[in-house]
């Protein structure tokens, strides 16, 4: 467990959903939690969409000034600096897709690296174009790391087909995630699935299921 938790990935990988659920998970551990949406690339699927629910759970939300509006200004809120500098709070970051979105994270890299109490999760979705294989996902990882200046520390397998997701599909994607783990030298920290699939799907893989 680290204080700062960064979630990056390719467009459509589902990193926002994972980041939000992880913030809930940290809150259930009794921590003071804040989640920051610094995705300046994708205006459609935002942490701000769940702002009311997050605040009701006692989680602070930091989002772009013009999120969910028709104004397109890639301005980052100043509260993000306080989040990386205040080392008493658990911080969750939803980062924009690919290297272009990761550039926004780069300005906070010196603070994060100096503290050295972070996890940089690569959210992999092998059902999405351009990351269907471990090798393709590895290329995206390298681009993101180069853009933000922060190395990844762990992997999140968030491959899914929505309601069409099957147990066999999860097992197949887990094998691809293992290949990515071998290529990158990074552990698989999480494998995500709908709650109804978790027990049957994850126990045979010898993973400890956690329902967020």
């Amino acid at each position: 467990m680290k204080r700062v938790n960064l979630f990056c990935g390719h467009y459509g990988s589902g990193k926002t959903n994972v980041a939000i659920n992880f913030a809930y998970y940290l809150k259930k551990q009794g921590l003071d939690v804040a989640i920051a949406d610094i995705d300046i690339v994708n205006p459609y699927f935002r942490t701000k969409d769940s702002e009311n629910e997050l605040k009701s759970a006692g989680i602070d939300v930091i989002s772009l000034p013009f999120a969910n509006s028709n104004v397109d200004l890639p301005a980052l809120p100043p509260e993000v600096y306080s989040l990386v500098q205040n080392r008493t709070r658990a911080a969750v970051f939803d980062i924009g897709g690919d290297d272009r979105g990761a550039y926004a994270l780069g300005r906070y890299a010196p603070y994060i690296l100096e503290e050295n109490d972070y996890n940089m999760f690569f959210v992999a979705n092998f059902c999405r174009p351009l990351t269907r294989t471990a090798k393709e996902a590895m290329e995206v990882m390298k681009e993101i790391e180069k853009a933000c200046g922060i190395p990844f520390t762990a992997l999140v397998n968030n491959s899914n087909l929505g309601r069409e997701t099957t147990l066999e599909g999860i097992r197949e994607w887990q094998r691809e995630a293992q290949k990515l783990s071998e290529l990158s030298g990074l552990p698989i920290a999480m494998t995500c699935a709908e709650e109804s699939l978790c027990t049957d799907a994850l126990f045979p893989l010898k993973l400890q299921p956690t329902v967020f």
Side-chain angles (χ1 to χ4, degrees):
M1 189 73 70
K2 302 292 184 180
R3 187 185 77 81
V4 177
N5 300 275
L6 311 157
F7 291 87
C8 299
H10 192 54
Y11 303 114
S13 62
K15 58 190 177 301
T16 295
N17 199 357
V18 175
I20 289 173
N21 278 278
F22 194 73
Y24 283 125
Y25 170 74
L26 294 178
K27 188 63 180 179
K28 289 180 179 179
Q29 311 310 305
L31 300 177
D32 180 16
V33 183
I35 184 169
D37 179 353
I38 61 172
D39 187 346
I40 63 173
V41 178
N42 188 347
Y44 300 108
F45 301 100
R46 311 212 65 105
T47 300
K48 192 173 180 65
D49 294 335
S50 302
E51 182 173 14
N52 292 337
E53 294 85 350
L54 288 163
K55 287 186 174 180
S56 295
I59 300 170
D60 285 345
V61 179
I62 300 172
S63 59
L64 303 181
F66 302 103
N68 289 352
S69 73
N70 58 1
V71 179
D72 185 16
L73 292 176
L76 292 170
E79 293 85 357
V80 177
Y81 280 104
S82 66
L83 187 56
V84 296
Q85 292 172 332
N86 181 359
R87 298 182 179 181
T88 64
R89 311 190 75 188
V92 178
F93 284 83
D94 176 14
I95 315 300
D98 271 358
D99 54 335
R100 284 177 290 178
Y103 280 122
L105 177 61
R107 68 183 64 185
Y108 310 109
Y111 303 99
I112 295 170
L113 293 173
E114 179 187 6
E115 182 184 4
N116 194 29
D117 189 13
Y118 73 93
N119 266 319
M120 176 82 157
F121 295 106
F122 179 76
V123 181
N125 188 334
F126 299 109
C127 301
R128 300 295 298 171
L130 303 182
T131 57
R132 294 194 181 278
T133 67
K135 289 184 178 180
E136 291 177 343
M138 187 68 189
E139 290 302 313
V140 174
M141 288 179 61
K142 291 179 181 177
E143 292 171 357
I144 292 175
E145 286 183 332
K146 182 177 179 181
C148 69
I150 302 177
F152 283 104
T153 62
L155 307 174
V156 175
N157 179 13
N158 191 44
S159 306
N160 69 89
L161 292 173
R163 295 175 182 242
E164 297 181 11
T165 303
T166 64
L167 299 180
E168 184 52 42
I170 292 174
R171 296 188 182 100
E172 178 183 348
W173 301 321
Q174 187 68 10
R175 287 191 286 268
E176 201 64 34
Q178 186 60 44
K179 292 179 184 177
L180 180 58
S181 176
E182 294 169 359
L183 283 174
S184 63
L186 300 178
I188 303 172
M190 290 174 256
T191 293
C192 304
E194 185 183 350
E195 183 176 350
S196 62
L197 295 172
C198 283
T199 300
D200 291 336
L202 300 186
F203 272 124
L205 298 172
K206 298 182 180 179
L207 298 175
Q208 180 62 43
T210 299
V211 179
F212 297 151

